[in-house]
Amino acid sequence: MVVHTNAIVISALKYAEADLIVKCYTQKSGLKTYMLRGILKSKKGKFKTSLFQPLTQLELVAKHKDKGSLEYLQDAKILTHYKTLHTNVVKSAMVMFISEMLKNTIQEEEKNEELYHYLENTFNWLDSHSEIANFHLLFLLKLTRYLGFYPEVSGKDLMYFNLLDGIFQDSKTNSYCIKGDLLDNLKLLLGTNFETIDDVKLTKNNRSELLELLLNYYQLHIESFKKPKSLTVLHEIFN
């Protein structure tokens, strides 16, 4: 079946001598993986490797068998021309980290327009703003809504947050319960959005602790989740 769809590049992995395996999150078909043969050696081919940088937004024409196998890409062109996402050092580190997080968390080959638009809108926001120190934290927190484990906020005034159950509670019931300053900073994130994110004042240590908290939260709720290797680069950039 030939499909015309918008898509966001999640990863591109070299295969054999000159091939590229590209994972994309598509608007119409969810997660899809494409084999691009000879792209790394051909200078006159249809596709340029620059098209498949992480988080690039594309318009695709593809043949989908929808059998969980590698799909065939007929055409691809840039949908949104980023101005800073791949040239700003800090943003590039975020892109590397976020793309690895998406690779480790999104598995479903099914349409999810809400998730697609969330990714599309937040990457456009990141490209067009300069105050982004807390972006990755809010991005990860809000992403859990589309992955099915967003915190239950009805008891937000209680003293503990239980990472295992994703709820606020008034007493500690297991080793995954947090309180104190870390909990206060989590509540700050829960109460903000991307337009007001710069109002959340965090120190480097606060930011590092919150990121570790969110990664642990993901690890508890996604089977076989692995922390991104690019986490080290992100820490270096912000330190």
Side-chain angles (χ1 to χ4, degrees):
M1 178 174 65
V2 176
V3 176
H4 295 250
T5 182
N6 294 344
I8 295 169
V9 177
I10 291 179
S11 66
L13 179 68
K14 181 182 178 182
Y15 179 77
E17 286 290 316
D19 302 337
L20 207 60
I21 296 176
V22 178
K23 282 186 181 292
C24 292
Y25 192 71
T26 70
Q27 185 174 359
K28 292 185 177 179
S29 306
L31 187 67
K32 288 294 176 184
T33 305
Y34 303 97
M35 171 67 83
L36 305 180
R37 296 198 179 278
I39 185 175
L40 299 178
K41 282 192 174 179
S42 173
K43 293 182 179 179
K44 297 182 179 179
K46 182 185 293 185
F47 303 119
K48 304 297 182 185
T49 54
S50 58
L51 283 173
F52 305 105
Q53 295 183 79
L55 308 191
T56 299
Q57 296 180 40
L58 300 172
E59 289 182 86
L60 302 182
V61 181
K63 278 188 177 179
H64 289 172
K65 297 177 182 177
D66 295 327
K67 294 182 178 179
S69 57
L70 295 174
E71 308 286 15
Y72 176 71
L73 196 59
Q74 290 185 330
D75 196 18
K77 61 182 180 180
I78 297 288
L79 176 65
T80 300
H81 290 271
Y82 293 135
K83 295 177 181 177
T84 63
L85 218 58
H86 295 128
T87 54
N88 178 284
V89 174
V90 175
K91 290 184 181 182
S92 293
M94 278 196 180
V95 166
M96 192 186 309
F97 171 76
I98 288 170
S99 63
E100 199 174 351
M101 282 295 297
L102 295 177
K103 183 180 178 182
N104 293 346
T105 56
I106 299 177
Q107 306 296 335
E108 296 78 12
E109 288 194 23
E110 58 185 34
K111 181 178 179 179
N112 186 336
E113 291 251 8
E114 288 187 356
L115 173 55
Y116 182 85
H117 289 305
Y118 171 70
L119 299 178
E120 176 185 47
N121 293 333
T122 52
F123 299 154
N124 289 340
W125 188 96
L126 178 60
D127 184 53
S128 62
H129 288 75
S130 56
E131 299 298 329
I132 60 165
N134 298 326
F135 173 86
H136 57 305
L137 301 175
L138 188 58
F139 174 84
L140 292 183
L141 181 60
K142 289 188 174 296
L143 180 62
T144 63
R145 185 184 299 280
Y146 305 94
L147 299 177
F149 53 98
Y150 189 75
E152 170 56 59
V153 296
S154 58
K156 195 176 169 184
D157 294 331
L158 298 177
M159 188 179 295
Y160 292 88
F161 178 69
N162 185 334
L163 291 169
L164 188 61
D165 296 327
I167 60 173
F168 290 90
Q169 52 194 50
D170 57 9
S171 62
K172 182 176 181 179
T173 56
N174 58 41
S175 59
Y176 301 108
C177 292
I178 64 163
K179 66 173 184 176
D181 292 341
L182 184 55
L183 178 59
D184 291 340
N185 289 331
L186 176 62
K187 289 179 179 180
L188 285 177
L189 270 190
L190 284 167
T192 193
N193 56 49
F194 289 102
E195 293 305 323
T196 59
I197 193 173
D198 193 39
D199 295 335
V200 178
K201 303 303 180 185
L202 299 171
T203 66
K204 291 177 182 177
N205 285 339
N206 291 155
R207 205 171 284 123
S208 181
E209 289 170 353
L210 260 180
L211 180 55
E212 190 63 27
L213 171 73
L214 289 168
L215 292 176
N216 289 338
Y217 190 48
Y218 272 71
Q219 206 158 27
L220 287 170
H221 291 272
I222 297 178
E223 189 176 353
S224 73
F225 172 78
K226 295 179 181 178
K227 293 183 180 180
K229 295 176 182 177
S230 54
L231 183 61
T232 304
V233 177
L234 196 69
H235 281 314
E236 287 178 0
I237 288 291
F238 280 106
N239 288 330

